[in-house]
Amino acid sequence: MGVDHQGPCFLVPGPVRMNDAVLAAMSKPVMTARGPEYRDVMAELNSLLRLAFNLSPSSLERGQESWSGDDGYRIIVVSGSGTAATEMSLANRLCQSDEILVPSNGKFGERVAQIAATFADCTHLKYDWGKSFDLEEIEQYLSTGAFEALAFCHNETSSGITQDAAALADLCKHHDVALLVDAITSVGGLPVHPQAWGAEAIIVGAQKCTAGPSGVSALAISDKWVTESKRRKEDDSANPSYYLDVHAALKKGSDDQTPWTPAINLTIGWVEALRVLSEEGLEERWNRCRTMAVGVRSLFSSLGFEFLADEGHRSDTVTAIMYPDGIDDAWRSRLQNEYQTYVIGAQDHLKGRMFRIGSMGETSIEEMVEGCERMLSCFRDHGLEIPDDVEVSSYFNR
Ligand SMILES: Cc1ncc(COP(=O)(O)O)c(C=O)c1O
C-alpha cells in the first residue's frame, strides 16, 4: 500500500474530483474557437475520447480525422451534460413513429425512457430499482418485430447495478434492432465494447469516470447510426432540432471543429483529464475501479450491510448500500462535517434509506480505504456495533 491518504475523501459517483492539472488547464487564457490552437485541442480530445470509448485509435494531431477510425465510429463532443448527448443520440436517430423499447431499473434508465418518449413511440419496461432486467421478457417484445431501437442505461448510478450489455446486444443483433447506450458512468470506468456490442450510439459525461469537468459530454456514433439519421432527415420525418442537430456537427468533425462555439475551457480541461486516463491505461483504470468496488462490497457485506442491486450485477463504479435500521442521512451529514468524507444519498423513493459510494475517476485505493475507515468510525458514532479491529485495507487486494 502506498502513502496513506490525507485530507478529504471525495467518494461520490460524479461529479468527481478534478486534479490540479485539469483545474490549471481550465484557467488558460481564452483562445478563438476556429483557430489552429483550438483545433489542436479538439483533435486531441477526439482521439483521447476514442481511447476512453474503447474504440480504434486515431491521430492526436489536427487535420488527421481524429474523430473517426477504421471501426466506423465517429466522436461528437457536445457542449452540455450527458443528458444533452443522450437527447442528441435519440432525437436524431429516431422519428416520432419509430418504436423504441427502454428497460429501466433506476432513475437514469427512467430518464432515458422519458427522453425516448419525447422523440419516438416508447415502450418503457420498468423494473424495480436494482433488479436485473428480465431478458426473456425483453426478447418477447423485440421478437414482435415492432421495435426500431432499444435504449438502456448501462450502469445505473441511482441503484448501483450494471446491465448485461453483451446479452442485450445479442438480442438486438438477433432481432435487427438498433442499440443505444447511456454509458455515462461506464466509459472510462467499466469495460465497454461498442463494436462487439454493435452499439449504434454510446454516451459519456465528462464529470464521471474520466474525471473531467461538468457540462460537457460526448457520443460515439456508428456509420449505421449516421446513415439512419440522415435517411430520416432527408425524409423530413426527423424530429425538430437545431442546437443538437447532429448533421451540423457531422459537417465540422473532419475539420476538428464543432458547429457552435465549443465549451472551450471545459474541453481543454477534459483533454488534461483524459491524458491521465491514457497514461494509466484503460484496462488498468477499469481494474482499479473494480478493486475499489470489490473491496467496498466485501467489507460492507462482511459487516452485515445489504446492497440494493442484485448480486452478480453490482456495479464497479458505484455501490448502493442500504442503511441498517436506525441509521439515516444524519450519518452522511456527520461523515461530511466531522470526517470530511463525501458519499452521496439516494434519490426519489429511496431517499434516506441508503447511501452510494463512487469508485471512479482518479480516486486512489488509499483514499477509498481511508474513506471506508472513516465511514466505519462514523457508524460507530451512531451506535452501530462494529468491531474496532476491522482491517479495512485487507479487503482491497490489488
Ligand atoms: C448513468 C447516468 N445517466 C445520466 C446521467 C445524467 O447526466 P448529466 O447529469 O450529465 O446530464 C447521470 C448523472 O448522474 C448518470 O449517472
Side-chain angles (χ1 to χ4, degrees):
M1 188 109 344
V3 181
D4 287 346
H5 178 83
Q6 310 276 334
C9 293
F10 199 70
L11 304 171
V12 303
V16 302
R17 182 193 290 120
M18 290 178 277
N19 70 42
D20 290 345
V22 173
L23 297 175
M26 287 196 293
S27 64
K28 277 196 176 149
V30 76
M31 58 179 74
T32 67
R34 306 270 165 229
E37 200 186 359
Y38 186 71
R39 284 161 55 215
D40 283 346
V41 173
M42 269 314 285
E44 186 172 356
L45 179 57
N46 280 326
S47 179
L48 291 170
L49 281 169
R50 292 190 66 80
L51 177 130
F53 275 111
N54 199 20
L55 295 170
S56 63
S58 68
S59 170
L60 293 160
E61 308 287 324
R62 163 167 49 95
Q64 304 294 320
E65 303 278 343
S66 302
W67 68 322
S68 64
D70 57 18
D71 52 16
Y73 283 89
R74 272 170 267 193
I75 302 291
I76 306 285
V77 174
V78 183
S79 298
S81 71
T83 306
T86 306
E87 176 161 337
M88 200 182 214
S89 76
L90 292 162
N92 287 271
R93 172 63 179 80
L94 302 167
C95 59
Q96 289 289 332
S97 59
D98 281 325
E99 289 198 38
I100 180 167
L101 185 67
V102 181
S104 74
N105 48 15
K107 187 173 182 75
F108 295 108
E110 289 173 8
R111 189 172 297 168
V112 171
Q114 284 167 357
I115 301 170
T118 309
F119 298 107
D121 181 356
C122 176
T123 301
H124 183 188
L125 280 181
K126 210 166 164 178
Y127 298 104
D128 285 346
W129 286 32
K131 296 291 153 228
S132 316
F133 295 164
D134 180 343
L135 293 176
E136 276 179 28
E137 186 178 24
I138 292 173
E139 166 129 56
Q140 277 169 15
Y141 275 90
L142 296 184
S143 63
T144 62
F147 292 94
E148 173 69 20
L150 178 138
F152 72 104
C153 173
H154 177 232
N155 186 63
E156 184 47 83
T157 323
S158 65
S159 59
I161 187 165
T162 302
Q163 325 303 343
D164 185 346
L168 290 163
D170 283 349
L171 293 181
C172 287
K173 280 179 206 159
H174 187 70
H175 295 287
D176 196 19
V177 166
L179 180 67
L180 310 167
V181 189
D182 165 347
I184 287 172
T185 51
S186 312
V187 171
L190 300 177
V192 295
H193 302 282
Q195 198 179 15
W197 296 344
E200 282 198 20
I202 174 162
I203 295 125
V204 65
Q207 79 276 23
K208 304 287 190 181
C209 303
T210 63
S214 307
V216 62
S217 56
L219 60 163
I221 45 176
S222 70
D223 283 342
K224 172 90 187 302
W225 187 100
V226 173
T227 307
E228 288 297 327
S229 70
K230 276 189 179 151
R231 196 164 64 75
R232 279 164 182 74
K233 189 101 189 151
E234 279 151 19
D235 260 18
D236 261 356
S237 61
N239 280 301
S241 68
Y242 191 93
Y243 191 78
L244 295 178
D245 179 1
V246 88
H247 302 281
L250 286 169
K251 285 186 196 135
K252 290 289 188 179
S254 284
D255 211 15
D256 308 308
Q257 293 202 46
T258 54
W260 331 119
T261 305
I264 295 176
N265 287 57
L266 297 186
T267 48
I268 293 173
W270 201 6
V271 166
E272 201 63 48
L274 287 162
R275 282 182 187 163
V276 177
L277 168 60
S278 164
E279 276 158 29
E280 180 175 8
L282 186 59
E283 291 199 13
E284 285 73 10
R285 181 160 298 194
W286 295 347
N287 290 339
R288 180 167 48 76
C289 294
R290 182 167 166 72
T291 300
M292 291 191 286
V294 168
V296 166
R297 292 198 290 265
S298 47
L299 170 67
F300 281 92
S301 72
S302 76
L303 295 169
F305 284 76
E306 289 182 358
F307 304 96
L308 180 68
D310 277 353
E311 195 167 2
H313 299 272
R314 291 178 187 147
S315 166
D316 286 341
T317 57
V318 55
T319 304
I321 307 178
M322 306 311 295
Y323 283 134
D325 283 348
I327 307 278
D328 58 23
D329 273 336
W331 170 82
R332 209 162 50 83
S333 304
R334 187 174 198 161
L335 185 69
Q336 191 165 317
N337 297 335
E338 291 181 22
Y339 291 90
Q340 289 76 54
T341 295
Y342 299 78
V343 295
I344 207 155
Q347 292 158 296
D348 293 1
H349 60 289
L350 291 171
K351 253 193 186 120
R353 292 179 48 204
M354 66 170 201
F355 65 105
R356 292 173 295 150
I357 303 177
S359 49
M360 59 176 70
E362 294 168 20
T363 303
S364 68
I365 293 173
E366 289 74 18
E367 180 175 2
M368 184 60 79
V369 168
E370 175 65 27
C372 287
E373 278 170 357
R374 296 181 195 178
M375 287 178 223
L376 299 194
S377 295
C378 193
F379 277 123
R380 287 185 196 102
D381 297 343
H382 278 255
L384 227 59
E385 283 194 19
I386 294 180
D388 284 331
D389 61 352
V390 180
E391 192 57 62
V392 172
S393 64
S394 68
Y395 290 87
F396 293 80
N397 297 314
R398 275 170 266 212

